[in-house]
Amino acid sequence: EPGRKPVTGAVLHLVGSGLFLALIAVVGQVYHLSSSPGNAVLLWLAGVAPLAWILRLRSQLILSYAGFGVWLWLELIDSPGHAQFGGWFREVFLYVSVGAAFVGCGMHLALTRFKEFAGTTEKFGLLLMNIAAFPLCIGEAYEAPATSKGITLSLIIATLAVGLVTLGIWRNRGTMDGDWKKLWGAAIAGLVLVATLFITYVPEMHWHESRDNPYHWGANVAVFLWCLAQIRVGALRRNKWVLNTGMTFAGITLIAAYFNFSGSLEARGIVFMVGGILMVAGALVMERVRRRMIRKMAPGNPV
């Protein structure tokens, strides 16, 4: 409508949400309230999350999703938390399953009156999956094992995430054209399974031990295959965002593999020099492939 300024309104709502969180923090300081920081974030979420659905604001929706992630993180690492992992690293893997759950929720939102939130929710979940999967390739992330509470929580969320994605694909079978659905479901379930196994099974190790340990090498392969699946699905769906995300994190995974090489300083120097040249050449090739695939996404062009 003439005269409306949706961007200004969205920014003001975000500022107001930030001030509400600051108010909660100030009240806690003034009255010396002793409680878990997660409870403060949860109270803030209860106040700001409904605004996204009432006002139909994507920016507010992303803010509430991010706030949920922060709240969960505080519960995982805070000593009074209900699902402690016992460390500061391995709980990141749990966010692979959390991201998959968001992807599944996005599929279900596509069939509701809030379908304009479906794409945003799915993209947020996919980005979270990729960010949380990257530490699987780094040995230091296995420093602290999960506690029994953390293992139980990871199994519950993984089961819920895979169930949401499977049911979402089945419910959208009439609107999802092509054979990519099976690949997409299998890729998401596979990455969730890998992350959950690494939470529950991989033993504790330190950085100097991790270089000779096969776990992060197996994770490099698994995450790279996940990125290839994203690239293929993005091309089949004609979805540039999924394609570009897969390409970006495929490159990041290769960089992680590059720095995971061990050996003498002389051998490592040779590997780094040769590997660096190959990575630059590979990046140029990947960029050319990405642009060619995007051109093929134009209407009327076969993928």
Side-chain angles (χ1 to χ4, degrees):
E1 297 177 10
R4 290 191 62 186
K5 298 185 181 296
V7 175
T8 303
V11 170
L12 290 176
H13 279 104
L14 290 176
V15 172
S17 298
L19 291 175
F20 179 44
L21 181 60
L23 176 63
I24 294 175
V26 169
V27 170
Q29 289 275 344
V30 170
Y31 292 97
H32 303 287
L33 300 178
S34 58
S35 180
S36 167
N39 292 338
V41 176
L42 189 61
L43 175 62
W44 172 74
L45 273 176
V48 301
L51 292 177
W53 306 92
I54 296 172
L55 303 174
R56 303 293 184 98
L57 288 174
R58 288 188 177 90
S59 57
Q60 198 75 18
L61 183 74
I62 295 173
L63 179 66
S64 61
Y65 286 166
F68 171 79
V70 172
W71 167 78
L72 180 59
W73 178 265
L74 292 173
E75 286 295 318
L76 294 176
I77 66 173
D78 193 33
S79 54
H82 302 297
Q84 305 159 42
F85 263 61
W88 289 82
F89 295 100
R90 201 171 298 210
E91 55 264 43
V92 175
F93 304 162
L94 180 66
Y95 281 81
V96 173
S97 296
V98 174
F102 274 110
V103 173
C105 289
M107 295 177 182
H108 290 282
L109 282 173
L111 301 174
T112 69
R113 59 192 183 95
F114 295 102
K115 58 184 178 181
E116 69 268 24
F117 287 165
T120 302
T121 303
E122 189 173 351
K123 288 178 181 178
F124 180 87
L126 185 59
L127 185 61
L128 188 59
M129 287 183 70
N130 281 283
I131 293 174
F134 172 70
L136 288 167
C137 307
I138 305 174
E140 191 174 5
Y142 308 116
E143 182 175 340
T147 63
S148 58
K149 288 183 178 181
I151 291 174
T152 301
L153 180 65
S154 66
L155 292 173
I156 292 173
I157 295 181
T159 303
L160 176 64
V162 173
L164 283 171
V165 171
T166 304
L167 183 60
I169 291 175
W170 182 82
R171 291 186 65 198
N172 285 274
R173 63 191 182 281
T175 59
M176 291 181 173
D177 298 325
D179 297 330
W180 61 268
K181 299 185 291 294
K182 294 180 181 178
L183 173 61
W184 195 223
I188 293 174
L191 187 65
V192 169
L193 177 61
V194 168
T196 305
L197 286 176
F198 275 50
I199 289 173
T200 58
Y201 176 72
V202 176
E204 179 180 4
M205 66 178 103
H206 297 287
W207 174 251
H208 64 279
E209 301 171 326
S210 66
R211 288 185 174 275
D212 300 320
N213 201 295
Y215 292 112
H216 62 71
W217 284 112
N220 262 281
V221 174
V223 175
F224 188 70
L225 290 175
W226 154 251
C227 293
L228 293 182
Q230 288 181 87
I231 294 170
R232 183 56 180 163
V233 169
L236 292 174
R237 293 178 66 180
R238 299 181 181 273
N239 190 317
K240 295 180 182 179
W241 196 91
V242 175
L243 173 65
N244 290 332
T245 301
M247 283 285 190
T248 300
F249 281 93
I252 293 174
T253 304
L254 290 176
I255 293 174
Y258 173 67
F259 283 104
N260 275 335
F261 279 108
S262 60
S264 64
L265 289 177
E266 181 182 0
R268 193 178 303 170
I270 295 174
V271 169
F272 280 8
M273 181 180 66
V274 176
I277 296 173
L278 292 176
M279 288 186 69
V280 171
L284 294 175
V285 172
M286 288 177 66
E287 178 61 18
R288 290 188 63 182
V289 171
R290 185 188 71 85
R291 292 184 180 184
R292 184 166 64 248
M293 295 178 76
I294 288 178
R295 285 196 297 270
K296 287 184 177 181
M297 291 181 186
N301 291 337
V303 178

